[in-house]
Amino acid sequence: MLDLVWLVVVVPLVSGLGLLVWGKEGDRVGHLVGTVASAASFVIGLVAFVQLLGRPEDDRSVADTLFTWISAGPFHVDMAYRFDPLSALFVLLITGVGTLIHVYSIGYMAHDERRRRFFAYLNLFVAAMLTLVLADDYLVLFLGWEGVGLASYLLIGFWQHKPSAAAAAKKAFVLNRVGDVGMALAIMLMFAQLGTSSIQAVNATVAGQASESVATALGLLLLLGACGKSAQVPLQAWLLDAMEGPTPVSALIHAATMVTAGVYLVVRSNGIFDAAPVAQTAVVVVGLVTLLAGAWIGCTKDDIKKALAGSTMSQIGYMMLAAGLGPAGYAFAIFHLVTHGFFKANMFLGAGSVMHGMAGPDGEGDVDMRHYGALRRAMPVTFATFGLGYLAIIGFPGFSGFFSKDKIIEAAFGESFWIGLAALLGAGVTAFYMTRLMVMTFTSPRRWLDDVHPHESPRVMTVPLVVLAALSVLGGVLVLGGWIEHWLQPVVGPSVHHELAVPAWVVSVVVTAVVAVGVALAWVTYTRTPIAQTAPADPDVSVLTRAGRNELYGNAVNDTLVVRPTRHLTRVLVFLDARLVDGLVRGLADRLGDTSQFLRTPQTGYVRSYALSILVGSLVVVLALLAVTLA
Amino acid sequence: MNEYLTLSMILFTIGAVGVLVRRNAIVVFMCVELMLNATNLALVTFSRQHGTLDGQIAAFFVMVVAAAEVVVGLAIIVSIYSTRRTTSVDDASLLKL
């Protein structure tokens, strides 16, 4: 099976393309085909993973070249894939969570007449994401990178009849282009400096062959790409708007898999980042800033999906932070990525289930948490699974998030006390906003709108929830006995442990205590006073809340720094074009016209005047001839 | 010999002035013919003077061309008359009606 790993990409790709061109008769079974394709990918990936497990440790990497993609002089790119411990984990996460979300979507999108197309896009996304993680060459990775960007664009704008969804899709696409410029420049720099874009070769030789400034430039450019894809500051503004897409899309693409591609890129490029301490510091700073910014935003949003999106930003910030810590954090970044993939997909799907249940008479799902409340009784399965995801994300001892976040905070303290402190603060805020979300949605008194009758979702939606909830709880086993560090060692090198001033269990206790404080604070805030059905107006809330509601003015910053100057520039260019370029062309045409007008005045149409000019002309000729002959 | 040439010049001048000042297409046409024949007279005179046949042959060519031109020219005048009910060349100053 290890020779057939490329099938995990091909199966969903063929299925996705097939579903797109299949006519109306495909509507009846299209969703099943899409789900089966994804499940087949998962099975192939699982078998390959087990076979990889069975191999000796130093032999756990299978690379193969399917064909030569580009060959022009020294410029040589192979369509090559590499199945190693890191990509194996990703293949399982993408196809596993992806398949569950396909199943969920069968129910969620049941009444959408374009369901077949939705599944086609989902399949294309899975294929592109797998290309990204299996690529053995940065250019092939870039192919997948752009593929997931395209799929993300298509799926955010899936309900394109809503102007807000169409705008959100465009925003995501454009902001991702900014990051992609960084990626493209990084790949060009690799070619220019190292003569290759093979991931293995670049990471192996960058330390020896390139100067540190080149490595730093590569690292920063890759980080720019990662920021775009993973919604990290300063390219974070698209993620909250991306919640316009259908909820399964938010769960799969904008929580579990695609947005973590930036973290994957940093970990995969560990050779570059290890050779560039400045770039590593930049990754840590970006991670920390995003971690706190996302958590801040998550505290203030009343839209359940946007609150979760803020949380996603924040959690990816944790992963970035860990990835920036170098060998001390790579394995934990991936570990948190996997557990986050489980519990965040679980909670997003749970949120979708709540929206589904809270849909008003018009069938539109309601996302405002201020209209929820007391759903614990109405939707017991959703509540139970969401609750398990909640315990996982805040890091309740024993749940997966406890292990993964704890490890990152520990590594952060090992790097520097202040970084650790900021990460610790983030954990407390995480507990606060997730408790707020739980209270507002499930436990507080009901604040339902009229004509809303919450009900549990169908089985096809709750079963994936249950599976993901189980994974959220059990995901922590990966770290027991240092398994994940050991497993990833062939890719990222041996894990480095910094000596802490205090034993590791003290850190865990402190983290748990901070989390408990966050939970208690939110509990007191949101249960003591009743929650209003409409959000307090902006002037009535604190400056901090206002900033959070406005997404820390990220859009305003973009608007002032980029959008408006660009608009002015456009206006100047349009003016120059109209006046200068068009003026020249039109002026020339006008002068020619004037000359013609002047020249046609002798053309009167009167035969006699023509005859006179002929006569005068011939007289002139005759006289000239005479003058010439007589002279 | 000079008398012939003088006559030729007088006829040519009458023809040229007629073309310039008359408006009736038929008259203009006749004046053109007058100029052609004045030229013919000059050609034949020179032929005689030089004792060669070149001028006479040229005169024949002019007659042939004039005959052909009369056919085409009269046809045009008839057609103009049938559409505009006039033979004044000034009224036909535009190519369109």
Side-chain angles (χ1 to χ4, degrees), chain A residues 604-608 611-612 615, chain B residues 12 16 19-20 23 89-90 92-93:
Chain A
T604 55
Y606 293 121
V607 174
R608 50 199 155 83
L612 183 64
L615 187 70
Chain B
F12 188 89
V19 168
L20 291 183
R23 309 234 160 129
V89 286
D90 280 7
S93 63

Side-chain angles (χ1 to χ4, degrees), chain A residues 11-35:
Chain A
V11 170
L13 181 68
V14 169
S15 156
L17 293 177
L19 284 176
L20 274 183
V21 296
W22 201 356
K24 254 192 181 154
E25 55 273 27
D27 283 350
R28 275 186 301 115
V29 291
H31 51 283
L32 297 177
V33 173
T35 310

Side-chain angles (χ1 to χ4, degrees), chain A residues 622-631:
Chain A
V622 168
L623 287 176
L625 276 175
L626 275 178
V628 171
T629 35
L630 294 181

Side-chain angles (χ1 to χ4, degrees), chain A residues 34-389:
Chain A
T35 310
V36 167
S38 177
S41 251
F42 175 66
V43 171
I44 299 169
L46 191 64
V47 173
F49 176 76
V50 170
Q51 289 187 352
L52 206 61
L53 266 180
R55 286 191 167 206
E57 207 170 301
D58 48 358
D59 194 27
R60 282 186 186 152
S61 174
V62 184
D64 200 4
T65 300
L66 296 181
F67 53 88
T68 299
W69 187 13
I70 302 168
S71 181
F75 186 90
H76 187 87
V77 178
D78 282 330
M79 190 57 90
Y81 69 85
R82 176 173 295 273
F83 192 71
D84 61 8
L86 180 59
S87 41
L89 271 185
F90 267 88
V91 167
L92 284 189
L93 177 72
I94 295 159
T95 55
V97 175
T99 305
L100 288 173
I101 288 171
H102 273 76
V103 173
Y104 178 92
S105 302
I106 295 176
Y108 191 84
M109 302 297 282
H111 303 298
D112 197 299
E113 56 186 20
R114 290 160 71 230
R115 181 164 66 164
R116 172 172 53 87
R117 182 178 295 252
F118 181 80
F119 275 84
Y121 291 160
L122 276 189
N123 273 183
L124 288 181
F125 167 76
V126 169
M129 188 74 202
L130 290 170
T131 311
L132 198 166
V133 298
L134 283 171
D136 197 24
D137 191 292
Y138 277 106
L139 208 60
V140 181
L141 185 146
F142 195 54
L143 184 74
W145 190 268
E146 292 301 309
V148 292
L150 171 69
S152 160
Y153 165 79
L154 290 170
L155 285 164
I156 294 171
F158 187 72
W159 288 322
Q160 62 213 177
H161 52 85
K162 286 196 293 184
S164 56
K170 269 186 273 182
K171 186 175 177 184
F173 203 72
V174 170
L175 269 171
N176 267 296
R177 287 290 78 68
V178 179
D180 293 345
V181 170
M183 273 288 282
L185 286 177
I187 295 172
M188 291 174 203
L189 192 60
M190 286 169 202
F191 269 121
Q193 292 289 330
L194 303 167
T196 175
S197 64
S198 158
I199 293 177
Q200 297 292 317
V202 167
N203 282 292
T205 59
V206 71
Q209 285 187 15
S211 62
E212 190 178 320
S213 53
V214 170
T216 306
L218 277 177
L220 291 177
L221 288 170
L222 289 177
L223 175 63
L224 180 64
C227 281
K229 199 56 84 192
S230 291
Q232 301 291 293
V233 174
L235 299 177
Q236 84 291 2
W238 63 272
L239 185 64
L240 280 102
D241 289 15
M243 296 301 128
E244 286 289 341
T247 305
V249 172
S250 311
L252 178 60
I253 302 185
H254 305 119
T257 54
M258 186 191 83
V259 286
T260 58
V263 180
Y264 170 80
L265 183 70
V266 174
V267 174
R268 180 56 93 184
S269 310
N270 56 70
I272 294 173
F273 283 95
D274 287 346
V278 178
Q280 271 187 328
T281 312
V283 175
V284 170
V285 170
V286 164
L288 264 185
V289 170
T290 314
L291 190 173
L292 296 172
W296 186 347
I297 294 170
C299 290
T300 57
K301 288 285 178 185
D302 288 332
D303 178 328
I304 187 169
K305 285 180 73 180
K306 293 204 169 173
L308 284 173
S311 156
T312 302
M313 261 176 75
S314 171
Q315 300 302 313
I316 298 172
Y318 268 112
M319 299 170 208
M320 275 289 179
L321 167 64
L325 295 177
Y330 288 138
F332 302 132
I334 297 301
F335 179 40
H336 193 56
L337 194 159
V338 172
T339 58
H340 173 258
F342 293 149
F343 58 68
K344 191 49 73 63
N346 170 24
M347 283 193 287
F348 257 112
L349 295 184
S353 173
V354 169
M355 286 161 57
H356 198 76
M358 293 302 287
D362 56 352
E364 286 279 322
D366 192 348
V367 291
D368 193 343
M369 291 194 290
R370 290 185 180 273
H371 301 161
Y372 294 171
L375 294 179
R376 185 183 45 192
R377 295 246 160 63
M379 309 176 84
V381 179
T382 305
F383 169 67
T385 55
F386 202 104
L388 293 174

Side-chain angles (χ1 to χ4, degrees), chain B residues 9-63:
Chain B
M9 278 160 65
I10 291 169
L11 286 176
F12 188 89
T13 309
I14 292 171
V17 172
V19 168
L20 291 183
V21 301
R22 297 304 296 262
R23 309 234 160 129
N24 188 320
I26 307 276
V27 177
V28 172
F29 210 64
M30 283 159 61
C31 290
V32 171
E33 294 300 316
L34 201 56
M35 287 160 75
L36 284 171
N37 283 313
T39 319
N40 276 349
L41 185 57
L43 282 171
V44 173
T45 309
F46 287 132
S47 172
R48 177 84 181 167
Q49 195 174 15
H50 292 297
T52 59
L53 285 175
D54 296 0
Q56 298 192 24
I57 291 170
F60 272 118
F61 273 107
V62 171
M63 281 182 215

